[in-house]
């Protein structure tokens, strides 16, 4: 308790010091002015009329400056005596008369001291204004600036209830031409464009356009871009806001912002409001550990009221986006609010080709690279992933001083997107390299020999992320659903690495832990969700996690302990059968396993074309020395030796390539 009070006192002291600093600064300025005009004037002597006349008659004057003050009927005289030091002077005020001036002029002629006479400065009107009113004006300006500065910290409290929705002036530049791979989704929202352009056409037949459209799907699939394109096609104002912009510390602020947002939108109707990540404010009310959240729930209540309160003829359309539609409040999804829900899924192969065409417009691709092949090599990639893929490839091409993007940069960029950058400086022991090579070769052999298995696109033993190597396999054709045999072969392929380790070395390693994780998930889903086991077509588990803890945190289980034991036995049965099948395939193809593994040790990375040639001919194609990256380590060392590279025998492939490029 004392610690808390001490912290509070410390904060109060900081605030107090911050508030006093400007006043201390003003006090220091005043002290400086006083010191300058008073303390520094210790060398000044104030004379009376008699003292001045006595020195004037005694031939002691050195110089005199006279200023005529007509308004005061005096002469202001400043001068110095013969006995004064350099900085000493006297001042005296004399009556404004011709007799006094005559005496001074006669003394100047007789004694030959310097006499200077200045006209009355008050005779200049502008000078009078400058002297009398400028200080006051400066003081007023300073006071205004000072108090404005003091109030700036509290100014934001006055607009707490103002809407945070921002008008995007660039949205009209985005049209459906910029949105690739979402054919059905664009068809769903075309009605909104027609309504915003010509609402009377709908009102004539009594049709009610959806007031709200909810876009949901995986991240990076183009939900925000689609909303911008709707506004761009309709040529209407586009307001965008994040769901988190509504929620504040104080209860009622979010509801006020909702009211202000709709008020502003009605002024600019027809228009479109886009709420991104609406699950931040639209979660189910009164759910989760610890009860509800008053501020968020009041904000949601106000949003529900506003959406159901304005008429269709007002021309306001709301589009919201989320990755979690399962956590939204049911009242938000009822007819009259977000009554149209559009799923924006990951693109298929045709969609990926269209997306790549959009992002490749300003890229220079090497001859022979087709977007169709790139689309086939990237299943599961979202639009954002594909844009990032081409951008990474372009960056690599620039880094390598190339004039175009080749397949080498695209392969490397794909690996970076999937697994992260290569750890080329990581030093493997020869035993580790051999283990990884045979492990990855085991995956490749299973992929080559199983009918329904995926095509092997790439095998590498270069470590990336937490993996010592990896095998990239893509399906021969993209399917809407998977059969039981497809899933069993997928599990068999995942267990190919461990099977190769057991058969080749008679030992097992920790390298297959990620393979086991994936295989176990598939096997459990087959038993508990897909009904693909001897337990029959029953669903024992379903995802139903708390909306605050995450949907995968817990599962609803509708079975007894006896059934749980049977589920474990069925899972073990599936895994063991697939493991046995994988070992049988590896044993029958030991020569192929060894060929791929030994080639991997020599080249470190094999592409689909190289693997196909290797399987068909039993050796790699003739090496082209103009493409260093495709050469084996042995060949690179021969070239390095010929060029006089030092310590070439201890370098790995990445280090050899770096030395030869330099």
């Amino acid at each position: 308790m004392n610690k808390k009070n001490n912290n509070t006192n410390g904060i109060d002291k900081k605030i107090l010091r911050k508030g006093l600093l400007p006043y201390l600064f003003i006090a220091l300025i005043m002290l400086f002015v006083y010191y300058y005009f008073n303390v520094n004037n210790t060398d000044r002597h104030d004379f009376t009329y008699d003292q001045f006349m006595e020195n004037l008659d005694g031939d002691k004057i050195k110089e005199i400056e006279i200023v005529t003050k007509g308004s005061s009927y005096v002469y202001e005289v400043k001068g110095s005596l013969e006995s004064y030091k350099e900085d000493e002077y006297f001042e005296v005020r004399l009556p404004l008369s011709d007799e006094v001036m005559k005496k001074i002029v006669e003394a100047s002629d007789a004694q030959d001291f310097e006499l200077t006479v200045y006209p009355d400065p008050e005779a200049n009107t502008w000078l009078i204004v400058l002297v009398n009113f400028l200080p006051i004006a400066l003081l007023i300006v300073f006071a205004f600036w000072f108090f404005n500065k003091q109030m700036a910290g509290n100014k934001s409290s006055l607009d707490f209830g103002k809407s945070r929705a921002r008008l995007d002036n660039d949205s009209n530049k985005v049209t459906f031409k910029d949105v690739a791979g979402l054919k059905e989704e664009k068809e769903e929202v075309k009605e909104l464009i027609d309504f915003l352009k010509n609402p009377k056409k709908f009102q004539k037949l009594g049709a009610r356009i959806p007031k709200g459209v909810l876009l949901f799907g995986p991240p990076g699939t183009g939900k925000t871009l689609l909303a911008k394109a709707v506004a761009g096609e309709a040529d209407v104002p586009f307001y965008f806001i994040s769901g988190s912009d509504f929620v504040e510390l104080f209860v009622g602020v979010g509801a006020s912002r909702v009211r202000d947002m709709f008020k502003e939108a009605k002024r600019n109707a027809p228009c479109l409001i886009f709420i991104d990540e609406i699950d931040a404010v639209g979660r189910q009310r009164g759910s989760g550990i610890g009860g509800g959240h008053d501020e968020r729930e009041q904000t949601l209540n106000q949003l529900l009221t506003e959406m159901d309160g304005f008429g269709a003829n007002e021309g306001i359309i709301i589009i919201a986006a989320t990755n979690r539609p399962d956590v939204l409040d049911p009242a938000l999804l009822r007819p009259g609010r977000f009554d149209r829900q559009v799923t924006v899924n990951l693109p298929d192969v045709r969609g990926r080709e269209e997306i790549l065409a959009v992002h490749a417009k300003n890229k220079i691709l090497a001859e022979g690279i087709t977007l169709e092949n790139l689309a086939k090599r990237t299943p599961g990639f979202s639009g954002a992933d594909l844009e990032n893929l081409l951008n990474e490839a372009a960056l690599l091409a620039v880094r390598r001083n190339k004039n175009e993007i080749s397949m080498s940069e695209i392969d490397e960029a794909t690996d970076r997107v999937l697994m992260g950058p290569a750890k080329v400086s990581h030093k493997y022991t020869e035993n580790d390299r051999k283990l990884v090579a045979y492990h990855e070769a085991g995956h490749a052999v299973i992929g080559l020999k199983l009918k329904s298995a995926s095509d092997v696109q790439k095998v590498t033993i270069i470590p990336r992320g937490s993996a010592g190597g990896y095998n990239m396999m893509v399906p021969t054709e993209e399917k809407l659903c998977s059969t039981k045999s497809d899933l069993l072969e997928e599990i068999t392929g995942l267990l190919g690495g461990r099977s190769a380790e057991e058969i080749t070395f008679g030992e097992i390693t920790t390298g297959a832990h990620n393979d086991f994780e994936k295989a176990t998930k598939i096997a459990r889903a087959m038993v508990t969700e897909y009904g693909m086991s001897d337990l029959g077509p029953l669903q024992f588990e379903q995802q139903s996690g708390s909306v605050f803890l995450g949907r995968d945190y817990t599962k609803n289980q509708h079975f007894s302990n006896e059934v749980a034991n049977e589920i474990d036995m069925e899972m073990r049965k599936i895994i063991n059968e697939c493991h046995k099948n994988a070992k049988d395939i590896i044993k029958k193809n030991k020569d192929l396993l060894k060929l791929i593994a030994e080639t991997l040790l020599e080249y470190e990375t094999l592409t689909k074309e190289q693997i196909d040639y290797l399987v068909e001919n039993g050796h790699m194609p003739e090496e082209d020395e103009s493409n260093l990256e495709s050469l084996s380590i042995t060949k690179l060392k021969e070239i390095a030796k010929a060029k006089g590279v030092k310590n070439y025998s201890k370098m790995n492939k990445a280090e050899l390539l770096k030395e030869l490029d330099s």
Side-chain angles (χ1 to χ4, degrees):
M1 187 67 180
N2 293 333
K3 186 176 181 181
K4 184 178 180 181
N5 289 337
N6 290 338
N7 291 339
T8 305
N9 292 336
I11 294 171
D12 291 342
K13 288 179 181 178
K14 288 181 180 178
I15 295 173
L16 184 62
R17 285 199 297 269
K18 187 176 179 182
L20 288 176
L21 281 175
Y23 297 102
L24 291 174
F25 180 69
I26 294 173
L28 287 173
I29 292 177
M30 295 176 67
L31 286 173
F32 173 77
V33 172
Y34 175 80
Y35 176 81
Y36 182 80
F37 285 104
N38 292 282
V39 181
N40 271 356
N41 295 335
T42 54
D43 295 332
R44 189 183 73 182
H45 302 276
D46 294 326
F47 281 4
T48 63
Y49 177 81
D50 293 335
Q51 287 176 319
F52 175 74
M53 287 302 177
E54 182 181 345
N55 284 289
L56 188 66
D57 296 337
D59 297 340
K60 296 180 180 179
I61 301 295
K62 182 179 180 181
E63 62 176 346
I64 288 179
E65 293 180 357
I66 301 175
V67 178
T68 305
K69 288 285 188 178
S71 60
S72 303
Y73 301 101
V74 296
Y75 291 121
E76 287 188 355
V77 181
K78 180 180 178 181
S80 61
L81 303 180
E82 295 288 349
S83 60
Y84 281 2
K85 297 178 182 177
E86 184 177 354
D87 295 331
E88 264 186 299
Y89 64 94
F90 67 82
E91 285 187 353
V92 62
R93 293 170 70 89
L94 304 176
L96 185 64
S97 68
D98 294 338
E99 185 179 349
V100 171
M101 181 58 72
K102 183 179 179 181
K103 288 182 179 180
I104 295 173
V105 172
E106 289 176 352
S108 174
D109 293 338
Q111 300 174 23
D112 196 23
F113 60 78
E114 185 178 350
L115 175 63
T116 307
V117 180
Y118 296 103
D120 185 2
E122 294 182 359
N124 191 329
T125 305
W126 288 107
L127 189 60
I128 294 173
V129 173
L130 188 67
V131 172
N132 290 291
F133 294 103
L134 184 61
I136 299 174
L138 290 175
L139 185 61
I140 292 173
V141 170
F142 175 77
F144 178 79
W145 172 84
F146 175 72
F147 287 111
N148 189 53
K149 193 80 172 175
Q150 291 294 308
M151 292 295 293
N154 300 324
K155 194 174 181 180
S156 59
S157 62
L158 301 177
D159 61 351
F160 248 33
K162 296 292 184 182
S163 171
R164 294 291 191 269
R166 296 174 293 280
L167 179 63
D168 185 7
N169 294 321
D170 295 330
S171 63
N172 292 342
K173 298 177 182 178
V174 180
T175 63
F176 278 167
K177 292 180 181 179
D178 304 304
V179 183
L182 299 176
K183 185 177 180 180
E184 290 78 12
E185 290 81 353
K186 286 189 283 190
E187 289 293 332
E188 282 291 312
V189 297
K190 271 186 178 179
E191 290 178 359
L192 304 180
I193 300 170
D194 294 338
F195 173 75
L196 290 169
K197 284 184 174 180
N198 186 15
K200 292 182 180 179
K201 181 173 68 173
F202 292 85
Q203 295 165 8
K204 183 178 179 181
L205 295 178
R208 180 183 62 82
I209 202 70
K211 295 180 181 179
V213 177
L214 180 66
L215 306 176
F216 60 88
T221 50
K223 296 182 288 294
T224 303
L225 187 64
L226 183 61
K228 284 186 176 182
V230 172
E233 290 285 342
D235 194 22
V236 296
F238 179 76
Y239 290 91
F240 66 96
I241 189 172
S242 172
S244 59
D245 286 335
F246 291 111
V247 183
E248 282 287 351
L249 175 65
F250 305 107
V251 177
V253 174
S256 176
R257 289 179 179 174
V258 171
R259 288 191 294 270
D260 189 65
M261 179 181 71
F262 279 93
K263 183 180 178 181
E264 181 70 19
K266 288 175 184 177
R267 289 198 200 105
N268 296 279
C271 67
L272 189 147
I273 300 174
F274 177 66
I275 306 176
D276 198 11
E277 306 298 344
I278 195 173
D279 53 279
V281 71
R283 287 175 178 263
Q284 295 179 20
R285 290 167 288 184
S287 300
I289 295 175
H293 185 290
D294 283 343
E295 162 61 358
R296 182 174 49 75
E297 290 185 7
Q298 285 198 21
T299 305
L300 175 58
N301 290 337
Q302 187 64 45
L303 181 61
L304 296 174
T305 303
E306 292 288 344
M307 288 191 68
D308 204 25
F310 61 83
N313 59 343
E314 294 190 16
I316 301 175
I317 300 292
I318 302 178
I319 298 181
T322 181
N323 304 322
R324 298 287 305 275
D326 56 313
V327 303
L328 296 180
D329 195 278
L332 201 61
L333 305 178
R334 75 157 175 81
R337 288 167 182 155
F338 286 107
D339 44 10
R340 178 168 296 183
Q341 300 167 30
V342 180
T343 304
V344 186
N345 277 323
L346 293 171
D348 58 10
V349 63
R350 186 177 299 175
R352 291 195 298 274
E353 186 177 350
E354 293 175 4
I355 294 170
L356 286 167
V358 171
H359 296 301
K361 284 180 180 178
N362 59 342
K363 308 286 192 305
I364 303 175
L365 300 179
E367 188 177 353
I369 297 179
T370 63
L371 299 180
E372 182 182 357
N373 289 335
L374 288 183
K376 290 179 180 178
R377 293 166 61 95
T378 52
F381 276 48
S382 66
D385 291 332
L386 295 171
E387 190 276 335
N388 188 36
L389 169 66
L390 290 180
N391 185 61
E392 286 287 343
L395 292 174
L396 285 169
V398 172
R399 198 179 303 167
R400 295 172 179 177
N401 296 319
K402 292 186 175 181
N403 297 322
E404 58 186 11
I405 302 172
S406 67
M407 202 64 212
S408 173
E409 284 77 43
I410 291 176
D411 279 337
E412 175 65 20
T414 305
D415 295 342
R416 282 171 173 262
V417 172
L418 291 173
M419 306 290 293
K423 297 180 179 179
V424 294
S425 61
H426 187 75
K427 295 293 183 182
Y428 264 150
T429 63
E430 283 303 315
N431 187 49
D432 286 341
R433 291 183 77 247
K434 193 172 183 180
L435 278 169
V436 174
Y438 273 89
H439 180 100
E440 300 303 333
H443 288 304
V445 169
I446 300 294
L448 290 168
K449 293 302 176 181
L450 287 179
K451 275 186 179 181
S452 301
S454 301
D455 284 341
V456 180
Q457 292 291 328
K458 186 176 184 179
V459 185
T460 180
I461 59 172
I462 298 174
R464 289 179 183 272
S466 59
Y470 81 97
N471 192 320
M472 187 173 77
M473 304 173 72
V474 299
T476 52
E477 58 181 10
E478 296 184 30
K479 300 178 181 179
L480 185 62
C481 57
S482 300
T483 64
K484 182 179 179 180
S485 59
D486 291 338
L487 295 176
L488 290 174
E489 290 192 358
E490 187 174 350
I491 295 174
T492 304
L494 289 168
L495 299 175
R498 166 58 67 89
S499 301
E501 292 176 10
E502 291 176 329
I503 293 170
T504 306
F505 304 103
E507 186 63 87
I508 56 177
T509 69
T510 60
H513 72 283
N514 187 249
D515 299 331
F516 296 156
E517 180 184 352
K518 294 177 181 177
T520 304
K521 283 183 178 180
I522 296 172
R524 187 167 190 88
M526 289 176 67
V527 177
T528 62
E529 296 180 41
Y530 306 147
M532 295 179 178
S533 70
D534 293 340
L535 295 180
L538 297 173
Q539 188 176 62
F540 297 101
E541 292 178 348
Q542 62 184 94
Q543 309 290 351
S544 63
S546 166
V547 296
F548 291 105
L549 296 178
R551 57 184 158 188
D552 297 330
Y553 188 81
T554 58
K555 292 182 178 180
N556 281 338
Q557 298 180 344
H558 307 292
F559 50 83
S560 62
N561 291 334
E562 290 78 7
V563 174
N565 183 52
E566 292 183 27
I567 290 173
D568 293 339
M569 292 176 63
E570 286 295 321
M571 288 175 56
R572 191 178 296 113
K573 178 182 175 183
I574 291 173
I575 295 293
N576 288 339
E577 286 180 357
C578 291
H579 188 201
K580 181 179 179 300
N581 191 23
K583 291 174 73 173
D584 291 341
I585 294 172
I586 296 294
K587 287 177 182 177
K588 291 178 182 177
N589 297 277
K590 270 190 174 182
D591 293 339
L592 179 60
L593 175 73
K594 183 178 180 181
L595 177 64
I596 295 175
E598 295 297 328
T599 308
L600 269 175
L601 289 170
E602 190 68 20
Y603 287 82
E604 291 190 345
T605 299
L606 296 177
T607 63
K608 174 177 170 53
E609 293 75 15
Q610 290 173 323
I611 293 172
D612 291 341
Y613 189 93
L614 184 66
V615 172
E616 186 176 347
N617 299 282
H619 60 83
M620 290 290 285
E622 187 176 345
E623 295 181 330
D624 179 12
E625 293 190 11
S626 62
N627 185 6
L628 295 177
E629 293 178 5
S630 66
L631 300 180
S632 64
I633 295 177
T634 303
K635 189 65 177 179
L636 288 173
K637 287 182 177 180
E638 291 177 2
I639 297 173
K641 181 180 179 181
K643 291 189 175 183
V645 177
K646 297 180 180 179
N647 299 322
Y648 67 90
S649 59
K650 297 180 180 180
M651 295 181 182
N652 59 27
K653 187 172 182 178
E655 292 169 335
L656 287 167
L657 287 171
K658 186 176 180 181
E659 286 293 328
L660 292 174
D661 284 340
S662 61

